[in-house]
């Protein structure tokens, strides 16, 4: 029988060899981004929490991994991905489809951290950065499914900036700023299938600037 540590270690190693953090793998599999966080592996009462067979099945599917190979990862004593990323800054990450739902941001546009996953990145020192993972093709050809859009909430947006906007109706959008004045934004869509729009500042709960994209 395999132990609690061996099964979780296999998940960490699968994430590493697939190019994800544990949280990133959970998001890719359509799971809650915190599903594989280390803090979730022990229940509040001190008992071990085991990953479900459903969640394991989903991560095997999205990584095209056979169960036989996952068992081999359980037997592998190599260090897991979380420790190998210790020198990198971990920033909050959330699937774009989830970002429009209530409960993931506070009123200032800051992530409510305990509901997000995390992703390790090099060369970033801004503690306020967060990432949204692109879902689908609505932002093609610039951003593809699975890309991570790194967002800074600091600074006013200006012409030519790419920004993320959280609207009063809950919608979140990422657009290029074509024009900006005291009362509204004119926003250009990345995908030519979508029209440009005018957005009143009064309809925007908060905004952020796209600082970088991990592709």
């Amino acid at each position: 029988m395999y132990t609690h540590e061996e099964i979780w270690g296999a998940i960490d190693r699968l994430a590493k060899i697939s190019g994800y953090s544990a949280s990133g793998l959970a998001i890719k599999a359509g799971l809650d981004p915190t599903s594989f966080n280390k803090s979730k592996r022990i229940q509040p009462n001190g008992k071990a929490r085991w990953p479900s067979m459903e969640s394991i099945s989903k991560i095997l599917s999205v990584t095209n991994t056979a169960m036989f190979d996952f068992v081999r990862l359980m037997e592998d004593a190599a260090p897991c991905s979380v420790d190998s990323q210790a020198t990198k800054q971990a920033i909050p990450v959330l699937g774009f489809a989830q970002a429009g739902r209530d409960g993931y941001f506070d009123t200032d546009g800051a992530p409510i951290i305990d509901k997000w996953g995390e992703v390790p990145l090099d060369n970033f020192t801004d503690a306020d950065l967060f990432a949204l993972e692109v879902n689908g093709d609505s932002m093609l050809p610039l951003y593809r499914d699975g890309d991570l859009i790194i967002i800074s909430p600091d600074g006013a947006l200006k012409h030519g900036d790419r920004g993320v906007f959280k609207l009063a109706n809950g919608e979140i959008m990422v657009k290029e700023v074509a024009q900006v004045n005291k009362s509204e934004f004119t926003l250009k869509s990345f995908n030519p299938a979508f029209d440009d729009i005018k957005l009143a500042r009064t309809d925007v709960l908060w905004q952020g600037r796209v600082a970088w994209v991990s592709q």
Side-chain angles (χ1 to χ4, degrees), residues 66-94:
M67 178 59 77
F68 173 79
D69 293 321
F70 186 74
V71 171
R72 291 182 63 184
L73 289 174
M74 285 192 277
E75 297 169 347
D76 187 353
C80 69
S81 61
V82 174
D83 293 334
S84 69
Q85 304 285 2
T87 61
K88 299 186 177 184
Q89 178 188 356
I91 67 172
V93 62
L94 187 69

Side-chain angles (χ1 to χ4, degrees), residues 61-193:
S61 177
V62 298
T63 58
N64 196 29
T65 301
M67 178 59 77
F68 173 79
D69 293 321
F70 186 74
V71 171
R72 291 182 63 184
L73 289 174
M74 285 192 277
E75 297 169 347
D76 187 353
C80 69
S81 61
V82 174
D83 293 334
S84 69
Q85 304 285 2
T87 61
K88 299 186 177 184
Q89 178 188 356
I91 67 172
V93 62
L94 187 69
F96 196 87
Q98 294 174 290
R101 303 173 189 169
D102 292 337
Y104 288 102
F105 294 92
D106 64 22
T107 55
D108 295 321
I112 300 176
I113 300 299
D114 61 351
K115 296 186 178 182
W116 289 53
E118 61 181 26
V119 60
L121 292 175
D122 286 316
N123 304 321
F124 285 96
T125 58
D126 186 343
D128 294 328
L129 292 175
F130 61 91
L132 296 177
E133 183 180 36
V134 175
N135 308 127
D137 59 4
S138 65
M139 287 184 273
L140 287 173
L142 189 62
Y143 302 141
R144 301 167 298 177
D145 184 63
D147 287 350
L148 289 180
I149 300 176
I150 314 303
I151 298 161
S152 171
D154 296 329
L157 293 174
K158 61 184 183 300
H159 170 75
D161 282 344
R162 295 166 183 167
V164 58
F165 299 84
K166 176 67 177 289
L167 308 187
N169 65 6
E171 182 181 0
I172 284 195
M173 60 177 63
V174 181
K175 305 282 186 181
E176 182 177 323
V177 179
Q179 296 181 30
V180 59
N181 57 42
K182 292 182 179 180
S183 61
E184 68 180 13
F185 296 95
T186 301
L187 303 178
K188 181 179 180 180
S189 299
F190 306 122
N191 190 327

